[in-house]
Amino acid sequence: MKLFIRILLALIIPTSAMGQAQIPLVTAQAEELEVGSIASLAISLANEGDEVYNGFQFDLVLPEGITLASEEGNITLHISDRYQARDIAARVRAIGEGCYRLIAYSLSDATISGHEGILVTLTLQGSDDLEGGEQRGNLKEVVLSRADGMGIECEASEFLIKVPGTMMGDVNFDHSVNVTDVMLVVGQILGETNSPFFFKYADMNKDGIINVTDVMRIVGVILNTQVEEEE
């Protein structure tokens, strides 16, 4: 009878402990990203339970037309104060088309504090021909390093990047078509350099060339003689 009880306890206790374990969750949330502009991408960790972590890495997959912004050739990032140390080492680099890998750790074995919040913030860069609408990115190959030296693999997750669109002819992307857009296109045809200027929205007939035909189509939009769909 005692042997039976011991076997029963050995089966029940591990199962109960596993049922109470909380799997850490790493997610991403992006600010609204305008064409040709930048926006923040926050990577957060929710880690309920008693587990303590001291490092992390993940692969970030971005949609076409969106990259990570860089300064002097280095991708910009900001480690949050959940790492209670100054000697944090973090590196991120492109490992493929639209795919980046980030790794962060403490040189003094400092751990990540708290049970939820941002780990790192990256900066998204939208291209001048970025399509409007909801773009989708992914976090995958997410690994957390536990303080006891064990690695924890987390589930992959998807996030949305909202890109506001505008109508054709809005070449400075101020969400209206007016005489300013006409003058900017004329200047571009004459060889002037104007900023901001989005070629995609100036090429009204989408033939890959900006000329007087596009100018007249923009004038038509202003005079309500031609309707252009939002991109």
Side-chain angles (χ1 to χ4, degrees), residues 104-174:
Y105 54 94
S106 168
L107 297 174
S108 61
D109 202 29
T111 57
I112 299 170
S113 64
H115 292 294
E116 63 178 344
I118 296 173
L119 287 177
V120 60
T121 302
L122 299 161
T123 303
L124 301 175
Q125 175 72 60
S127 66
D128 289 351
D129 59 354
L130 179 61
E131 295 293 334
E134 288 189 342
Q135 307 286 348
R136 297 179 183 273
N138 295 92
L139 285 179
K140 63 180 186 178
E141 306 298 333
V142 182
V143 179
L144 297 175
S145 173
R146 262 184 1 199
D148 61 5
M150 299 294 291
I152 302 297
E153 295 184 4
C154 303
E155 292 185 3
S157 61
E158 184 179 76
F159 60 94
L160 295 178
I161 306 171
K162 293 184 179 180
V163 181
T166 191
M167 65 180 66
M168 293 297 294
D170 179 20
V171 302
N172 60 356
F173 211 84
D174 65 354

Side-chain angles (χ1 to χ4, degrees), residues 30-207:
E31 293 181 337
E32 187 174 85
L33 177 64
E34 290 198 348
V35 172
S37 188
I38 61 174
S40 294
L41 176 68
I43 311 297
S44 299
L45 167 66
N47 53 307
E48 296 296 330
D50 299 326
E51 301 290 354
V52 179
Y53 303 98
N54 55 12
F56 61 90
Q57 76 173 64
F58 57 80
D59 289 354
L60 172 67
V61 182
L62 296 176
E64 184 177 355
I66 300 177
T67 58
L68 289 182
S70 61
E71 294 181 2
E72 299 180 353
N74 297 315
I75 295 173
T76 56
L77 61 87
H78 173 72
I79 298 294
S80 78
D81 56 8
R82 288 191 68 183
Y83 257 128
Q84 297 180 332
R86 295 183 179 273
D87 58 345
I88 305 302
R91 292 188 62 189
V92 57
R93 62 173 297 180
I95 58 173
E97 187 70 28
C99 187
Y100 301 84
R101 178 166 293 164
L102 182 147
I103 180 170
Y105 54 94
S106 168
L107 297 174
S108 61
D109 202 29
T111 57
I112 299 170
S113 64
H115 292 294
E116 63 178 344
I118 296 173
L119 287 177
V120 60
T121 302
L122 299 161
T123 303
L124 301 175
Q125 175 72 60
S127 66
D128 289 351
D129 59 354
L130 179 61
E131 295 293 334
E134 288 189 342
Q135 307 286 348
R136 297 179 183 273
N138 295 92
L139 285 179
K140 63 180 186 178
E141 306 298 333
V142 182
V143 179
L144 297 175
S145 173
R146 262 184 1 199
D148 61 5
M150 299 294 291
I152 302 297
E153 295 184 4
C154 303
E155 292 185 3
S157 61
E158 184 179 76
F159 60 94
L160 295 178
I161 306 171
K162 293 184 179 180
V163 181
T166 191
M167 65 180 66
M168 293 297 294
D170 179 20
V171 302
N172 60 356
F173 211 84
D174 65 354
H175 303 289
S176 66
V177 179
N178 52 41
V179 69
T180 300
D181 298 294
V182 173
M183 299 308 296
L184 287 172
V185 175
V186 170
Q188 191 76 12
I189 294 171
L190 295 176
E192 297 174 3
T193 300
N194 300 300
S195 181
F197 183 89
F198 298 99
F199 184 97
K200 171 182 177 180
Y201 296 102
D203 184 15
M204 299 292 286
N205 57 5
K206 300 180 182 179
D207 63 355

Side-chain angles (χ1 to χ4, degrees), residues 8-20:
L8 185 62
L9 288 174
L11 291 173
I12 293 175
I13 293 175
T15 303
S16 300
M18 288 178 64
Q20 296 173 354

